Amino acid sequence: MRKSTGYFMMGIGFTLGIVLGLLIQLPVITLPTSGREHVDHGLDLVGSGPDVRKRVVTRELSNDGNNNGLRSGEGLDRITSTYPLRGLKHSLHSVVYPINNGTKSHLQEKSVPIPDIKHDYKPQSSNQPVVLPPASDPDIPKPGQQGTDWVKAVSDMVDGVLWSPALENSCFKAGQSDKAQKQWREKSSRSKVVKMSEGCGRMQNRLLMLSDGTRACARYRLNTDQIQGEIYSFYLGRLLRINNLLPTVLSVVNSQSDNWRTVHTDMANAQWSDNKVVVLTRWSEGLNPAYIPVHLRGDDRALLPTSGSLGEMGACELMQWSDLIIFDYLIANLDRVVNNIHNKQWNSQMMESPAHNLERDSDGNLIFMDNESGLFHGYRLLDKYSSYHKSLLDSLCVFRNSTVNIIERLHLSGNVGEELHQLFVQDEPAHNFIPTIPKKNMKILQQRVGDVYEQIQRCRVRFM
């Protein structure tokens, strides 16, 4: 009896020990602090509501250069450069989850250190014309090259936290994307599908051959929000004037219509149903894998307007990467760079592998492929993956001027969701076959626009 009692007491003690140990090791959820140090520069927005802050900001912008004693750009400088971030609301997605002992692993959000800049650093000016590298030439001058004024080379590429206008003009042709989209919309609506085969990814996607020989990828999904994610992400890219998405339209399939009758047997074999909406994306020849820049591969990732961060890749490609980081943050895309970062825990070489769903065309332009997780599925998984998105956004401090202007306008107007829907309805003939974006998703998108806006202002303070 005593022996049984002893075993019983030992069992109770062992169980209590395990429970106590587990309690000690439970993770702690820490929300980001809202405290900030402020310096008064004359625009008192602290404690004001969002409407008051918006009126103050709008007034300063409207006064900019309009005979109010302000030099051109000074109104914006007062808000963004000398008085940044005051009263701006934190995103609701920046939750940090420390693990067991309170330290952070690579899965948690982190602050990216910004290298020191010498106080006497000033871009050198010159009366000589700026000579920029060709858009497809990856051989940007590097520090230490004989006869190269590296500081001047950097100043030719960046202006503060913006890519230089000369560089941007050399990399992109204005209106090219709009023209290509219009042509694709007209072609896809009037052309017959004469061949249908596998070759556009997994599941029920199909490669189509049109009557004039043009090829297209058709995205067929039973889940409507994947179709929504793809098409609305495309139109968000157009709203941002980002030209890295292939021309895309919606099409309603009908095996009895002139456009689809030729391939009705193939449609049945693919288990396509009539009156379903598919996304048609123009096929692009000669695509090659694209790699993540060295600046963004490590845990100390940073793409900054400083000499050390611009010497390893062509400036035109880095400019596109700055847009990619913003675009993927806004739509919360899981299937591109975030995919590589997440899988690094199982494959240490993942960041040196080609970026997922990213290609490079024959002209050296990046193509942002397969955005179906954007704005919908990605938003449902923010609690799990927000730290990845945030670490990429925090690493970015050099931007396209046109992207900055649009982000600032969308942040101040507060109606990015309405503008996106309006553009979609205006330019997409089959818009009635797709549900509108839910208000909850529009609210998240607006918050993430605010996050990007805040990052731009933070960078201005550091580098201007």
Side-chain angles (χ1 to χ4, degrees), residues 276-457:
K276 290 283 289 186
V277 178
V278 296
V279 178
L280 296 184
T281 301
R282 191 189 67 190
W283 178 270
S284 183
E285 298 285 353
L287 296 183
N288 293 297
Y291 291 83
I292 300 171
V294 294
H295 322 78
L296 302 174
R297 293 182 185 179
D299 291 337
D300 58 346
R301 61 182 60 93
L303 183 55
L304 312 175
T306 55
S307 59
S309 66
L310 300 179
E312 302 296 333
M313 185 178 286
C316 286
E317 183 163 340
L318 287 177
M319 185 184 300
Q320 295 172 78
W321 271 93
S322 65
D323 272 350
L324 183 147
I325 291 173
I326 290 175
F327 178 72
D328 277 1
Y329 183 85
L330 292 178
I331 68 174
N333 190 0
L334 307 173
D335 292 335
R336 204 164 3 253
V337 184
V338 167
N339 175 82
N340 287 59
I341 297 175
H342 178 69
N343 287 314
K344 184 181 176 182
Q345 58 189 311
W346 296 289
N347 179 1
S348 61
Q349 303 301 313
M350 195 67 192
M351 298 303 285
E352 285 74 43
S353 302
H356 199 241
N357 287 335
L358 184 67
E359 302 287 336
R360 185 205 303 267
D361 68 15
S362 57
D363 295 325
N365 299 313
L366 297 179
I367 306 298
F368 305 171
M369 309 284 288
D370 296 344
N371 304 296
E372 65 180 20
S373 70
L375 300 171
F376 292 85
H377 185 60
Y379 282 0
R380 288 196 291 268
L381 298 176
L382 282 174
D383 286 344
K384 184 175 182 180
Y385 295 103
S386 64
S387 60
Y388 298 137
H389 300 299
K390 192 66 165 58
S391 70
L392 284 166
L393 182 62
D394 286 347
S395 72
L396 179 63
C397 261
V398 58
F399 312 90
R400 266 210 308 153
N401 184 56
S402 56
T403 305
V404 166
N405 290 337
I406 294 171
I407 288 293
E408 290 180 336
R409 177 179 62 78
L410 293 175
H411 172 68
L412 294 174
S413 68
N415 63 353
V416 60
E418 289 80 359
E419 284 198 40
L420 175 57
H421 180 68
Q422 182 178 358
L423 178 63
F424 174 64
V425 171
Q426 170 186 309
D427 287 2
E428 181 51 63
H431 67 268
N432 286 329
F433 291 87
I434 292 293
T436 60
I437 302 178
K439 290 184 178 180
K440 178 182 179 181
N441 295 57
M442 288 186 178
K443 182 177 180 181
I444 294 174
L445 176 59
Q446 188 67 56
Q447 290 171 340
R448 294 179 83 78
V449 167
D451 293 342
V452 176
Y453 175 84
E454 184 172 337
Q455 175 66 11
I456 294 169
Q457 313 319 319

Side-chain angles (χ1 to χ4, degrees), residues 75-93:
L76 181 59
D77 288 345
R78 280 167 58 85
I79 299 163
T80 58
S81 296
T82 62
Y83 202 84
L85 311 184
R86 294 193 64 176
L88 293 181
K89 185 178 180 181
H90 270 298
S91 168
L92 300 179
H93 317 308

Side-chain angles (χ1 to χ4, degrees), residues 78-365:
R78 280 167 58 85
I79 299 163
T80 58
S81 296
T82 62
Y83 202 84
L85 311 184
R86 294 193 64 176
L88 293 181
K89 185 178 180 181
H90 270 298
S91 168
L92 300 179
H93 317 308
S94 303
V95 180
V96 184
Y97 297 94
I99 57 175
N100 297 335
N101 59 359
T103 61
K104 295 180 182 179
S105 71
H106 67 283
L107 295 177
Q108 280 80 49
E109 182 179 327
K110 58 186 286 297
S111 297
V112 178
I114 301 299
D116 293 335
I117 300 178
K118 296 180 180 179
H119 295 293
D120 59 353
Y121 168 79
K122 292 182 179 179
Q124 296 183 6
S125 60
S126 172
N127 295 325
Q128 299 298 321
V130 174
V131 180
L132 295 168
S136 59
D137 186 359
D139 295 322
I140 302 297
K142 299 177 176 60
Q145 287 183 342
Q146 187 175 3
T148 297
D149 184 343
W150 179 243
V151 175
K152 181 182 182 303
V154 172
S155 68
D156 288 345
M157 289 188 285
V158 296
D159 179 11
V161 297
L162 304 177
W163 297 105
S164 71
L167 178 62
E168 184 167 348
N169 291 335
S170 73
C171 295
F172 302 105
K173 295 181 180 179
Q176 187 175 24
S177 179
D178 289 341
K179 181 179 179 181
Q181 174 63 14
K182 181 179 179 180
Q183 291 174 343
W184 179 241
R185 187 189 307 119
E186 294 173 352
K187 179 188 292 290
S188 60
S189 64
R190 69 171 183 263
S191 300
K192 295 181 179 180
V193 180
V194 296
K195 186 178 179 181
M196 181 175 174
S197 60
E198 296 183 3
C200 276
R202 55 181 182 153
M203 301 170 68
Q204 293 171 280
N205 291 356
R206 289 296 183 267
L207 177 62
L208 307 181
M209 177 75 76
L210 305 184
S211 52
D212 66 349
T214 303
R215 289 190 288 178
C217 272
R219 184 180 303 275
Y220 183 99
R221 289 288 185 270
L222 297 176
N223 191 343
T224 304
D225 72 7
Q226 291 176 315
I227 297 294
Q228 288 177 282
E230 185 71 33
I231 194 66
Y232 275 114
S233 293
F234 171 77
Y235 276 96
L236 179 62
R238 291 200 63 208
L239 184 63
L240 296 169
R241 312 302 297 173
I242 293 176
N243 301 322
N244 299 89
L245 292 92
L246 294 171
T248 299
V249 297
L250 294 176
S251 180
V252 182
V253 300
N254 186 337
S255 59
Q256 303 304 313
S257 68
D258 289 340
N259 284 7
W260 294 94
R261 185 180 296 118
T262 303
V263 293
H264 71 277
T265 301
D266 295 322
M267 291 173 57
N269 292 336
Q271 297 182 345
W272 280 21
S273 299
D274 280 349
N275 300 316
K276 290 283 289 186
V277 178
V278 296
V279 178
L280 296 184
T281 301
R282 191 189 67 190
W283 178 270
S284 183
E285 298 285 353
L287 296 183
N288 293 297
Y291 291 83
I292 300 171
V294 294
H295 322 78
L296 302 174
R297 293 182 185 179
D299 291 337
D300 58 346
R301 61 182 60 93
L303 183 55
L304 312 175
T306 55
S307 59
S309 66
L310 300 179
E312 302 296 333
M313 185 178 286
C316 286
E317 183 163 340
L318 287 177
M319 185 184 300
Q320 295 172 78
W321 271 93
S322 65
D323 272 350
L324 183 147
I325 291 173
I326 290 175
F327 178 72
D328 277 1
Y329 183 85
L330 292 178
I331 68 174
N333 190 0
L334 307 173
D335 292 335
R336 204 164 3 253
V337 184
V338 167
N339 175 82
N340 287 59
I341 297 175
H342 178 69
N343 287 314
K344 184 181 176 182
Q345 58 189 311
W346 296 289
N347 179 1
S348 61
Q349 303 301 313
M350 195 67 192
M351 298 303 285
E352 285 74 43
S353 302
H356 199 241
N357 287 335
L358 184 67
E359 302 287 336
R360 185 205 303 267
D361 68 15
S362 57
D363 295 325
N365 299 313

